[in-house]
Amino acid sequence: LKVVSGRRALRPAPKDTPRRGRSTPKGLRHRLGARSVGRAVRRMPSSPLPPSVVAPSRPAASNETARGRDQVSEVKRASSAFTEGRGTASMGHSSATMSVSLSLRLRDVQQPSKWSMVAYCCRYVVEHKVVVAFTTVLTIWVLLGEDLKIILTNKPADPVFGFIGIACIAVFSIEILLSSIGKEDYFLGFFFLLDVISTASLVLDLPWVSDAMNSEEEDSSMVSNAERGRTARIGARSARVVRVIRLVRIAKLYKAVYESRNAKRSAKGTSPGSNTDDDDETGGGNESRVGKKLSDLTTRRVIVLVLSMLIILPLLSAEGDVKIPTSAHFGADEAWLAFQKAGGGDTPSQEVYETTLLRYIYYHNWYSGNTECPDGKQSPACPSAYASHLFWVGVSGATFETVQQQAQKARLRRGIVEEWAANVSAQDNQYNYGDMDPKALPILWSEWSHCQSPSSSSSTKIGISLLSIPIPGVVDYLAPCYYDLRPTERTRFSPSAMSFEQYDNFHFDFYFDQRPFVKIEAYFSIATTAFVCVVLCGAAMLFYNDVNQLVLYPVEEMISKVQAIRDNPLKAVRIAENAFAKEVNKMAPRMESMTEADIKLASLESRLQQAKRILACYAKQSSEPMETVILEKTIIKLGSLLALGFGEAGAQIIASNMQGSSSGVNVMVPGDRIDLVVGHARIQNFSVVTEVLQSRVMTFVNQVAEIVHGVVEEHHGSTNKNNGDTFLLVWRCMGNDDEEEKQKNLSKLCEMSVFAFAKIIGAVHRSPVLARYRGHPGLQNKLGSKYRVHLSCGAHCGWAIEGAVGSEYKIEASYLSPNVAVAVNVEEATSIYNVSFLASEAVVSLCSQGMRNKTRLVDRVWIPGSKEPLQLFCIDLDWNAVGADESQSPLVSFKARERMKARQFLELVKQQKPDKDMCNLFDSDADILAMRRGITEDFCELFRMGYQNYAEGEWQVARRFLEETCCMRKALDGPSWAIIRYMEKFQFEAPGDWKGIHDLSSALQGTGLGTPGELSATLAMAHGSLG
């Protein structure tokens, strides 16, 4: 690369220059030396990744991206400093060093690292819609799967749920791993810990783990029933804590809902409550870093608060079952004591034992407990009023022989069972035992069978199960042994009225079926999960909503507006107009769509509200605007003032200083070369007007400026400078690489500028506001009774450097070019030719043939600032033919709503202007037609012949034609008389070196045609000589 002075800082290197081995990313296929550093940096993607893999929506920029942007800014500053000529010594060596350094830095910025690619891929996978939907389904499953398993299935289905649980653990573990790699601030963060804890809690739901933990008490030594109940309660509380911890997976659901909500808001490009008119100006409604941080903190606090309450509050309450012993405890002791006293055979003590055991079995009757209470009985209670019933009775001991011997002794006799069943059927007590199914009754006197748990080998159990035979509609699932039910679905009770030695030798075991109770718990668990979901998500949203409405959304609105102004400072004015329109629409009464009845109803409601405030002694408070609203309006106003103050020429200054993260201001921004049409307008007799009006001259200038600025803006121009009596107007040709398209745009701008100046002159003389100055006594005294506010205008087309001029103390956005001086001199030439508007051939030559026919060639001149002679063209406009518009009162002031509607209408007209034919608009404009009514074909033809003879050196012939055209119009024709005066200096004989070029260098410093009295005298002399 070779560094040279000028606009392009970097040029292509020779072909034999060695290149680096690494290529640029896919998004930057152009060579670094093919364009300037400024263009290369502008085309550089903001992300360090290639555009081909950039996701449609992504979170806040990473540190690596920010670091890349800082490097880009550093390269920009280095290249700007170098091209500004701040180090001209040793150009040969320093240029090569600078080039290599810049190319290397650019390559480092553009080349993504392998780790960033891996992190991006991990984040892309985790945030993909399919993955989010899949993990959401798994989250709902792990929250409800255990309860659904208990409600819908029995123990044989546990392995299936176990394998599903293992799959969930694997998926969640992979998600945690990918999130730790791809997401910032996730690893070892709050949500990382929640995900790890909730995923680890899933291990406790695996059937092999839960069965092993809950079966330990099966082989435990003798403990009291109270202590065993306390252990069960602790286990139940632990299960609830584990279930609550797992509820943190709901945070995933909340985050998914919240992020999808923000994604929809970003896709629409607006925040809740914002006006849709601002969408196009303020850009997208992406979540800010402030909003993301605030949402995370709010979510954390809500989760911690809700989980703390769910975990701690149950631990602070006493359990109700510790008040008194239960029937299961007491009945087990009674059966054991009766068995100890039984002598076997037909002894009364044996009968007492069997009766006691049957009472225990029937009191907790499984069959009547799973059906309704007996019909026709007056008893208010039965076993169905409870959710736990006895299903297995047996003897447990250390050795099989002892247990088998005691089981034979504990076996019930058929006669006793049948007698007891008959007596129970006839009872009508307050607590009715209920009947047992006839098919199940033989189980009571059948032989006791051996049950050895696969997970336990330290004890032997022999007994009977009431669920060992199938009974359609009653027993659908067989449980011949106690372990055929899940550990959570059964409860063991054993006698406590014995010594430890007796317990270790042998004892009774009573197992209760808790499936109805566990199902009830499962239903309540599902309801609790749904409630916690609502609380976690709803409470977070409710807490967050106030912060959103009062702080976050206004702040994000301000951020979006600042971002829009930073990207395009000229949008600030449009943002301000949209904000103003929003305020007007809120304040404007919507009376048009209301009927008379609606108006009366609204009036009645207003009176009722007022009466309520009076009766309640409620004083209506003044609604002061929020500080965020004030700050937002201040930002909009500052942006508008910047845009209005700097204009299009200063847009680059504002944008370049707002893009950086530094708080410093760099006003020395390099300018840009652009093609444009430069216009210059001047208020005539301004010094006299200033002397007469004094302080009111500011109002006068602003009234003229409102017309000038409005017409120029309508025709896609802009105002650059307002210097009291003069206005510098520009029509910028937007950058376009296609030269043909560029010329087409420039041609359209030239036509619109010519038409705009004609419109300005007509609007100034038609304005009822400016017409009031015609009768001002001071102005009539100084300038005559026929004084009118009038403007002279000039236009030229060429190039200019757009940028900032000044120092760090004061800068001004301007256009520097000889063409600007040419435009000013063209306007000053209007005083020589006594016309309202002059345009150079650079403007007229780009206009269409129809628009060129509206102009008149008045002279070919040398003008200061131009290297070549220029042809000057005028548009003949008799401004005295335009009267003030009396239909509009100058004292009428538009209200805010009317002004807003007018701006909207003008904006619509402006958007349609480029598609319209300027010649047709020129011919159909009433003011322009009135000002050109006296222009005839004869006049134009005579002047054309006179000018042709003047240009060819036949001045005597030219004199006769031009003296005739001087008198053909109502007023003196300025161009004709200006040429006559110029020829008069040479006694109407062309100089020997005459080439048809009039030098205006000295004439522009004179007084033009002189006073009206001098013009009349000169005209009389001209008529006399002609006579």
Side-chain angles (χ1 to χ4, degrees):
L1 301 179
K2 181 175 67 177
V3 178
V4 296
S5 60
R7 183 167 178 262
R8 296 186 183 272
L10 297 180
R11 298 293 182 183
K15 294 184 179 180
D16 55 350
T17 303
R19 291 186 174 272
R20 304 286 296 185
R22 284 162 84 179
S23 61
T24 57
K26 183 178 180 181
L28 293 175
R29 293 302 187 193
H30 60 273
R31 300 174 186 268
L32 293 177
R35 290 181 172 89
S36 64
V37 171
R39 282 193 176 183
V41 173
R42 282 196 296 272
R43 295 193 179 199
M44 188 176 303
S46 59
S47 171
L49 298 176
S52 57
V53 295
V54 173
S57 61
R58 55 181 301 175
S62 61
N63 295 332
E64 185 171 352
T65 304
R67 186 164 56 251
R69 289 175 178 171
D70 294 339
Q71 292 176 347
V72 172
S73 301
E74 184 179 349
V75 172
K76 280 186 175 181
R77 290 193 296 269
S79 62
S80 299
F82 192 85
T83 55
E84 288 172 4
R86 297 179 181 176
T88 57
S90 303
M91 284 296 293
H93 176 71
S94 60
S95 62
T97 305
M98 185 69 181
S99 305
V100 174
S101 176
L102 289 178
S103 62
L104 290 178
R105 295 304 298 274
L106 285 173
R107 189 201 66 192
D108 293 339
V109 171
Q110 298 162 8
Q111 186 66 32
S113 64
K114 293 182 179 180
W115 177 254
S116 63
M117 291 292 294
V118 172
Y120 171 77
C121 294
C122 293
R123 183 172 63 251
Y124 179 79
V125 171
V126 171
E127 295 179 352
H128 196 275
K129 292 182 179 180
V130 176
V131 177
V132 171
F134 181 64
T135 54
T136 301
V137 172
L138 292 185
T139 298
I140 298 175
W141 171 258
V142 299
L143 292 176
L144 306 178
E146 189 69 15
D147 299 323
L148 295 176
K149 179 182 75 172
I150 293 174
I151 294 173
L152 302 176
T153 66
N154 290 300
K155 187 177 181 181
D158 285 0
V160 177
F161 285 83
F163 290 123
I164 296 176
I166 293 175
C168 292
I169 294 174
V171 172
F172 291 147
S173 300
I174 294 174
E175 181 190 16
I176 293 173
L177 178 61
L178 295 180
S179 298
S180 300
I181 297 174
K183 292 185 178 181
E184 294 182 3
D185 302 330
Y186 176 80
F187 183 65
L188 299 181
F190 179 77
F191 289 103
F192 172 80
L193 297 178
L194 291 183
D195 290 342
V196 170
I197 293 174
S198 60
T199 303
S201 68
L202 298 179
V203 177
L204 302 179
D205 273 351
L206 298 178
W208 308 283
V209 178
S210 60
D211 290 352
M213 293 176 59
N214 294 323
S215 298
E216 289 182 358
E217 57 93 14
E218 301 286 351
D219 300 326
S220 60
S221 60
M222 176 186 176
V223 293
S224 65
N225 289 323
E227 185 176 351
R228 187 179 298 113
R230 191 179 303 112
T231 303
R233 289 191 298 272
I234 293 176
R237 287 182 176 179
S238 301
R240 285 198 296 268
V241 169
V242 171
R243 191 70 57 85
V244 168
I245 291 176
R246 191 176 309 148
L247 290 178
V248 300
R249 293 290 306 180
I250 297 176
K252 291 284 185 183
L253 301 179
Y254 169 72
K255 289 181 66 179
V257 172
Y258 181 79
E259 290 175 359
S260 64
R261 183 182 179 187
N262 284 335
K264 292 180 180 179
R265 184 158 60 94
S266 300
K268 294 180 180 179
T270 182
S271 298
S274 63
N275 190 9
T276 56
D277 293 339
D278 298 340
D279 297 347
D280 295 337
E281 309 301 333
T282 58
N286 294 328
E287 186 183 15
S288 62
R289 288 187 292 272
V290 176
K292 185 176 183 298
K293 186 67 174 178
L294 186 59
S295 65
D296 286 344
L297 292 177
T298 304
T299 305
R300 293 180 188 182
R301 279 149 179 75
V302 171
I303 289 175
V304 171
L305 176 63
V306 173
L307 295 185
S308 300
M309 293 176 62
L310 291 175
I311 294 174
I312 296 176
L313 287 181
L315 300 178
L316 300 179
S317 61
E319 296 288 346
D321 56 357
V322 300
K323 295 179 181 179
I324 54 176
T326 63
S327 62
H329 296 152
F330 180 74
D333 288 337
E334 286 294 308
W336 168 257
L337 294 176
F339 177 76
Q340 291 285 54
K341 297 178 181 179
D346 245 350
T347 60
S349 59
Q350 181 68 23
E351 185 176 353
V352 170
Y353 153 71
E354 295 180 7
T355 303
T356 303
L357 184 59
L358 287 171
R359 183 183 297 112
Y360 187 85
I361 294 173
Y362 269 79
Y363 192 91
H364 307 96
N365 191 348
W366 189 94
Y367 288 93
S368 61
N370 286 274
T371 58
E372 297 181 357
C373 292
D375 296 333
K377 305 296 182 180
Q378 301 296 324
S379 56
C382 65
S384 63
Y386 302 95
S388 183
H389 310 95
L390 182 67
F391 82 99
W392 191 89
V393 180
V395 179
S396 177
T399 62
F400 177 78
E401 293 76 10
T402 303
V403 172
Q404 187 178 24
Q405 180 182 359
Q406 298 299 327
Q408 290 293 335
K409 181 179 179 182
R411 181 179 175 183
L412 299 177
R413 291 175 292 175
R414 179 174 182 174
I416 300 297
V417 172
E418 290 178 345
E419 181 182 358
W420 172 265
N423 294 333
V424 167
S425 299
Q427 71 161 338
D428 193 11
N429 299 329
Q430 292 186 3
Y431 183 86
N432 195 298
Y433 296 151
D435 294 326
M436 188 173 292
D437 193 281
K439 296 180 181 180
L441 196 62
I443 299 176
L444 297 178
W445 64 71
S446 64
E447 185 176 355
W448 290 19
S449 60
H450 178 246
C451 289
Q452 183 66 43
S453 174
S455 60
S456 174
S457 59
S458 58
S459 63
T460 301
K461 297 182 185 296
I462 298 178
I464 56 173
S465 172
L466 300 179
L467 305 179
S468 58
I469 59 175
I471 301 176
V474 180
V475 180
D476 297 324
Y477 173 69
L478 298 181
C481 290
Y482 66 93
Y483 53 76
D484 290 323
L485 296 183
R486 300 184 181 102
T488 57
E489 296 175 343
R490 66 179 188 258
T491 302
R492 181 177 72 96
F493 292 94
S494 58
S496 57
M498 64 175 63
S499 63
F500 286 98
E501 291 78 8
Q502 289 177 326
Y503 183 89
D504 293 336
N505 187 23
F506 76 94
H507 59 271
F508 280 171
D509 276 339
F510 303 92
Y511 281 89
F512 282 71
D513 180 7
Q514 291 193 124
R515 285 180 294 176
F517 178 75
V518 173
K519 288 183 179 180
I520 294 175
E521 277 191 332
Y523 284 118
F524 278 107
S525 177
I526 293 175
T528 302
T529 302
F531 175 74
V532 174
C533 287
V534 173
V535 170
L536 280 178
C537 301
M541 290 182 179
L542 288 176
F543 293 161
Y544 195 43
N545 185 61
D546 294 335
V547 181
N548 283 347
Q549 298 296 334
L550 297 177
V551 179
L552 188 57
Y553 288 158
V555 169
E556 290 184 346
E557 281 293 313
M558 286 182 265
I559 293 173
S560 64
K561 287 179 171 60
V562 171
Q563 181 65 38
I565 295 173
R566 184 171 65 176
D567 295 338
N568 185 2
L570 298 180
K571 282 188 177 180
V573 179
R574 185 68 53 79
I575 294 173
E577 291 179 357
N578 290 336
F580 179 72
K582 182 180 177 181
E583 294 179 2
V584 171
N585 291 331
K586 283 185 177 180
M587 295 187 301
R590 303 182 181 275
M591 303 297 291
E592 295 83 357
S593 60
M594 295 179 63
T595 63
E596 185 177 355
D598 294 333
I599 296 175
K600 291 181 179 180
L601 181 60
S603 177
L604 179 61
E605 291 179 352
S606 176
R607 292 179 181 179
L608 289 175
Q609 293 294 333
Q610 185 177 3
K612 288 181 180 180
R613 289 196 298 268
I614 294 175
L615 293 176
C617 298
Y618 172 73
K620 185 177 180 180
Q621 300 178 355
S622 59
S623 56
E624 294 291 336
M626 303 293 291
E627 288 80 357
T628 52
V629 177
I630 297 175
L631 182 58
E632 181 178 357
K633 292 182 178 179
T634 303
I635 291 175
I636 294 175
K637 291 178 181 178
L638 289 176
S640 301
L641 291 174
L642 282 174
L644 292 174
F646 282 89
E648 291 187 357
Q652 184 181 0
I653 305 172
I654 303 173
S656 61
N657 280 276
M658 294 185 69
Q659 289 293 339
S661 59
S662 174
S663 59
V665 178
N666 179 22
V667 298
M668 300 305 174
V669 179
D672 288 334
R673 187 183 188 274
I674 61 171
D675 295 320
L676 75 169
V677 179
V678 186
H680 195 261
R682 185 188 304 273
I683 304 175
Q684 297 297 306
N685 305 303
F686 185 74
S687 58
V688 178
V689 174
T690 304
E691 182 182 351
V692 173
L693 297 181
Q694 296 293 321
S695 60
R696 288 179 295 172
V697 73
M698 301 300 295
T699 304
F700 169 77
V701 172
N702 291 335
Q703 291 168 345
V704 176
E706 185 175 8
I707 297 175
V708 175
H709 294 182
V711 175
V712 172
E713 180 70 22
E714 179 186 348
H715 294 82
H716 291 263
S718 62
T719 305
N720 178 248
K721 286 184 181 179
N722 302 319
N723 291 331
D725 62 331
T726 62
F727 304 94
L728 182 62
L729 313 170
V730 295
W731 281 261
R732 301 173 71 252
C733 184
M734 305 304 294
N736 197 324
D737 295 336
D738 188 358
E739 192 65 27
E740 182 179 353
E741 186 69 20
K742 183 177 180 181
Q743 288 297 319
K744 183 178 178 181
N745 294 339
L746 195 58
S747 175
K748 192 67 176 182
L749 291 177
C750 289
E751 290 191 8
M752 286 195 290
S753 65
V754 172
F755 179 65
F757 280 119
K759 287 279 293 182
I760 288 172
I761 295 171
V764 166
H765 290 276
R766 186 168 50 88
S767 170
V769 177
L770 298 179
R772 291 184 298 165
Y773 294 99
R774 300 176 188 177
H776 194 283
L779 296 177
Q780 286 185 340
N781 183 39
K782 294 282 187 179
L783 300 172
S785 60
K786 295 184 179 181
Y787 168 74
R788 281 191 176 196
V789 180
H790 181 59
L791 272 70
S792 59
C793 308
H796 180 62
C797 181
W799 61 269
I801 303 300
E802 180 186 63
V805 179
S807 65
E808 295 181 354
Y809 300 98
K810 178 67 172 70
I811 62 170
E812 183 179 17
S814 183
Y815 295 90
L816 301 182
S817 173
N819 296 302
V820 178
V822 171
V824 175
N825 289 328
V826 169
E827 181 275 321
E828 290 181 355
T830 57
S831 62
I832 297 176
Y833 297 96
N834 196 27
V835 292
S836 299
F837 171 68
L838 281 176
S840 68
E841 62 175 316
V843 175
V844 178
S845 62
L846 290 174
C847 295
S848 62
Q849 184 62 43
M851 186 62 73
R852 287 200 294 267
N853 293 336
K854 314 295 182 186
T855 63
R856 175 166 55 122
L857 176 61
V858 298
D859 208 348
R860 187 164 182 250
V861 299
W862 280 106
I863 232 170
S866 176
K867 296 181 180 179
E868 300 292 336
L870 294 176
Q871 290 181 335
L872 296 182
F873 296 81
C874 76
I875 294 181
D876 295 307
L877 301 171
D878 183 9
W879 42 268
N880 286 299
V882 179
D885 189 359
E886 302 296 340
S887 62
Q888 297 182 3
S889 174
L891 300 178
V892 174
S893 60
F894 283 104
K895 295 182 180 179
R897 186 174 180 84
E898 284 73 17
R899 294 180 68 88
M900 185 265 294
K901 288 184 177 180
R903 283 197 296 269
Q904 291 178 345
F905 174 75
L906 292 176
E907 182 64 26
L908 180 62
V909 172
K910 177 183 177 181
Q911 293 176 0
Q912 298 174 351
K913 193 70 68 175
D915 299 330
K916 294 186 177 181
D917 187 3
M918 291 296 109
C919 293
N920 294 336
L921 294 178
F922 194 95
D923 294 334
S924 60
D925 189 270
D927 294 338
I928 297 178
L929 289 176
M931 291 187 291
R932 290 178 57 83
R933 190 169 291 120
I935 308 301
T936 63
E937 288 291 336
D938 294 339
F939 168 79
C940 294
E941 187 63 28
L942 284 176
F943 181 83
R944 191 177 299 112
M945 289 189 295
Y947 175 78
Q948 188 66 27
N949 284 278
Y950 158 73
E952 295 295 334
E954 299 293 336
W955 284 12
Q956 290 296 337
V957 179
R959 177 184 180 183
R960 290 196 300 271
F961 285 113
L962 295 177
E963 284 178 348
E964 185 176 356
T965 56
C966 279
C967 307
M968 291 183 68
R969 300 173 61 184
K970 292 182 179 180
L972 178 67
D973 182 53
S976 300
W977 187 242
I979 296 176
I980 290 174
R981 290 192 61 185
Y982 178 70
M983 292 188 300
E984 187 180 10
K985 295 180 181 180
F986 300 93
Q987 302 301 319
F988 297 98
E989 293 292 336
D993 58 349
W994 174 251
K995 297 181 180 180
I997 301 173
H998 182 185
D999 189 359
L1000 294 183
S1001 299
S1002 59
L1004 289 175
Q1005 301 175 359
T1007 57
L1009 289 175
T1011 64
E1014 294 173 345
L1015 293 177
S1016 299
T1018 306
L1019 182 60
M1021 292 174 60
H1023 279 289
S1025 61
L1026 289 174

